[in-house]
Amino acid sequence: MQSIETIAEQLLDRAIQLKASDIHIIPRHTGPLIQFRVENRFFPYRMVKPHHAERLISHFKFLSGMDIGEKRRPQNGSMTYACGDLSI
């Protein structure tokens, strides 16, 4: 089983490859769907287990300096990620 950190890195690497402006984790009855926004169009990436989606969201919130416990209101945050020679 991959760690959440590994899954998050793979997700960010793929988003960078596609030049995605956003990563969305959408709740669905069949399981959360991760999709990318590329040039204002959405592209499905993969489905994840519900507990993985919650852990991914918490991981990204932590890295972005957001309140991990806040789930009802939108939050803004940012982070720096190094991908190869790039730092984004």
Side-chain angles (χ1 to χ4, degrees):
M1 182 170 138
Q2 293 178 317
S3 70
I4 289 302
E5 291 83 4
T6 303
I7 294 170
E9 284 181 20
Q10 291 172 349
L11 182 63
L12 290 171
D13 289 342
R14 186 67 180 140
I16 290 167
Q17 289 172 351
L18 294 172
K19 298 181 181 171
S21 60
D22 298 300
I23 300 171
H24 295 251
I25 301 174
I26 310 296
R28 302 275 168 109
H29 290 289
T30 56
L33 170 68
I34 297 175
Q35 64 183 18
F36 300 117
R37 182 193 305 242
V38 180
E39 297 178 0
N40 286 327
R41 294 179 58 208
F42 292 102
F43 295 92
Y45 175 58
R46 69 185 242 191
M47 303 284 285
V48 293
K49 295 179 182 177
H51 67 277
H52 283 153
E54 287 184 29
R55 291 184 63 204
L56 273 171
I57 292 167
S58 292
H59 180 70
F60 286 132
K61 282 183 174 184
F62 174 76
L63 293 176
S64 301
M66 295 185 207
D67 180 0
I68 293 172
E70 179 59 68
K71 296 183 180 193
R72 297 187 67 193
R73 290 187 241 166
Q75 300 179 64
N76 289 321
S78 65
M79 61 182 265
T80 300
Y81 179 72
C83 179
D85 294 336
L86 296 173
S87 183
I88 300 172

